[in-house]
Amino acid sequence: MDAKIQPLVSFIITAYNIPVVMLRECLESITNLSLSVSEREIIVIDDGSDFSPVNELIEMAPDIIFLRQPNQGLSAARNVGLKIATGEFIQFVDGDDFLINAPYEHCLDIVRYQEPVDMVMFHFSQSKEEPTDFSFSGPVSGEQYMSNENLRASACCYIFRKDRLDGLRFTPGIFHEDEEFTPQLVLKMHNIYTTEAKAYYYRKRKGSIMHSEDKEENRKRLSDMVKVILHLRNIAETSDAARKTSMERRVAQLSMDFLINVIRMTKSRRQLNKAIDLLKQHDLYPLPDENYTKEYTIFRYMIQKKAGQLILIAAL
């Protein structure tokens, strides 16, 4: 009996109470790619939806793997997908989003024809159709990339080699799971290619976890962000010099993002000062005096001055 051919890419799709029409669009964006059935593996994790969409979608492609679990959150659902995925590369897709055909085919070509490849980084779009930017650069190591560039947090903006994970998984039960996962993932990669192609359609959907107005949820969101920052800082402190420099840049960026989120969510100078005091307790404030980006440099200057804080509160 012939051995089963290893798929080139495992697509891990997570879904929770997503309209069937959106999930169908997501699946069709994968089945319409140039990958043959043997080159792709499609895994759909239904994270305890009120109504299972399996019966309405199974006819789309008999090779799709559907799994249904009690509601445990995005991290747990993705971890299940990683556990059973057999592809050489992994692509996460949220069930209410989809891949944009031509730009994503360009990313697949990089995977197919460049050697060696551990990861391809691309961009997301809120337009359903995008011209294809056929340029790309690389390879660079994860340390090189993170020392000079800001990461896109979403794990959906990367195709990556599965065997580089080395046991890395998402932390269940927290917000900002991508912020914690992605820097660790990138640092595990030796050969990264980047492209300006906008290959992933990200849909802003009312009621999604990223756009909640629930105050308790937002408090947990901010608390979890601090936990993520401290975890990444601990990784930096136990890493070699190159990885430490890379992760420290990411920690500084996330510390800035934390303060920005406090301003946006609370519009309160008192809450902002409490957040600054919290960062001070962990030696994360003042923000490092580094010229990471123009935005970072301006924000660092303004947040240290009372007048600058008032301007930020009014502007953000």
Side-chain angles (χ1 to χ4, degrees):
M1 183 179 295
D2 294 335
K4 183 179 179 181
I5 299 173
Q6 182 183 23
L8 180 64
V9 185
S10 289
F11 297 90
I12 298 175
I13 303 167
T14 51
Y16 174 69
N17 284 346
I18 292 173
V20 171
V21 64
M22 289 185 184
L23 192 52
R24 183 183 295 275
E25 190 173 21
C26 175
L27 290 169
E28 287 176 345
S29 76
I30 297 171
T31 59
N32 289 338
L33 294 170
S34 62
L35 296 166
S36 66
V37 172
S38 64
E39 290 179 309
R40 75 178 190 226
E41 180 178 58
I42 304 174
I43 302 169
V44 179
I45 313 295
D46 177 17
D47 188 39
S49 298
D50 297 333
F51 170 77
S52 174
V54 171
N55 291 336
E56 299 191 40
L57 298 171
I58 196 69
E59 80 283 355
M60 285 187 60
D63 58 301
I64 296 177
I65 300 169
F66 283 97
L67 294 177
R68 181 170 167 82
Q69 66 178 26
N71 181 246
Q72 299 175 54
L74 177 62
S75 292
R78 284 177 172 172
N79 287 343
V80 169
L82 287 173
K83 183 177 181 179
I84 66 173
T86 63
E88 187 177 355
F89 288 84
I90 299 292
Q91 173 67 63
F92 291 114
V93 188
D94 291 341
D96 48 354
D97 301 333
F98 60 82
L99 304 176
I100 304 173
N101 188 273
Y104 195 81
E105 289 284 2
H106 171 55
C107 298
L108 286 176
D109 283 345
I110 297 172
V111 169
R112 286 166 167 146
Y113 303 121
Q114 300 302 313
E115 183 65 34
V117 178
D118 292 328
M119 172 180 278
V120 177
M121 297 180 167
F122 50 87
H123 293 265
F124 69 82
S125 173
Q126 289 182 268
S127 173
K128 292 190 174 185
E129 294 184 8
E130 285 286 350
T132 304
D133 186 327
F134 289 104
S135 64
F136 65 90
S137 60
V140 297
S141 68
E143 294 98 326
Q144 289 174 302
Y145 185 86
M146 284 181 57
S147 292
N148 297 286
E149 303 289 343
N150 286 345
L151 288 179
R152 291 181 288 283
S154 173
C156 294
C157 288
Y158 308 90
I159 311 173
F160 62 90
R161 189 176 294 277
K162 186 189 177 189
D163 63 14
R164 291 290 185 206
L165 278 170
D166 191 30
L168 177 64
R169 293 295 185 269
F170 292 89
T171 300
I174 67 167
F175 291 110
H176 307 289
E177 61 278 309
D178 283 13
E179 295 282 17
E180 182 183 56
F181 178 87
T182 303
Q184 297 179 77
L185 175 69
V186 171
L187 281 181
K188 291 178 179 291
M189 302 297 153
H190 302 314
N191 298 283
I192 297 173
Y193 288 82
T194 61
T195 172
E196 295 300 311
K198 294 180 179 179
Y200 186 97
Y201 175 70
Y202 168 67
R203 191 192 310 268
K204 281 190 176 180
R205 190 162 63 92
K206 186 177 180 180
S208 69
I209 63 171
M210 291 303 295
H211 300 96
S212 172
E213 294 182 0
D214 183 273
K215 289 184 179 180
E216 276 302 317
E217 187 173 283
N218 285 338
R219 273 194 285 269
K220 176 171 169 50
R221 190 182 301 279
L222 293 173
S223 174
D224 285 352
M225 192 168 191
V226 174
K227 292 177 183 176
V228 167
I229 292 169
L230 293 177
H231 181 204
L232 297 181
R233 200 267 301 274
N234 288 339
I235 292 174
E237 290 178 345
T238 57
S239 298
D240 60 38
R243 293 193 172 201
K244 182 178 181 181
T245 298
S246 301
M247 191 64 87
E248 284 178 340
R249 176 185 173 121
R250 189 60 186 162
V251 167
Q253 182 70 47
L254 289 178
S255 298
M256 179 185 78
D257 291 345
F258 168 69
L259 294 175
I260 290 173
N261 285 337
V262 169
I263 292 170
R264 285 175 172 165
M265 289 181 183
T266 69
K267 289 294 184 180
S268 165
R269 186 173 177 188
R270 183 175 67 86
Q271 292 299 324
L272 174 59
N273 286 330
K274 286 178 65 175
I276 289 173
D277 287 341
L278 178 61
L279 293 184
K280 283 181 179 178
Q281 292 173 23
H282 296 288
D283 296 322
L284 293 167
Y285 187 92
L287 299 175
D289 186 8
E290 301 285 350
N291 294 321
Y292 291 137
T293 64
K294 183 177 180 181
E295 178 190 29
Y296 176 89
T297 301
I298 294 172
F299 182 87
R300 183 185 181 279
Y301 174 80
M302 294 183 69
I303 199 68
Q304 295 181 90
K305 300 179 181 298
K306 291 181 179 180
Q309 291 177 10
L310 292 175
I311 293 171
L312 288 169
I313 290 170
L316 292 174

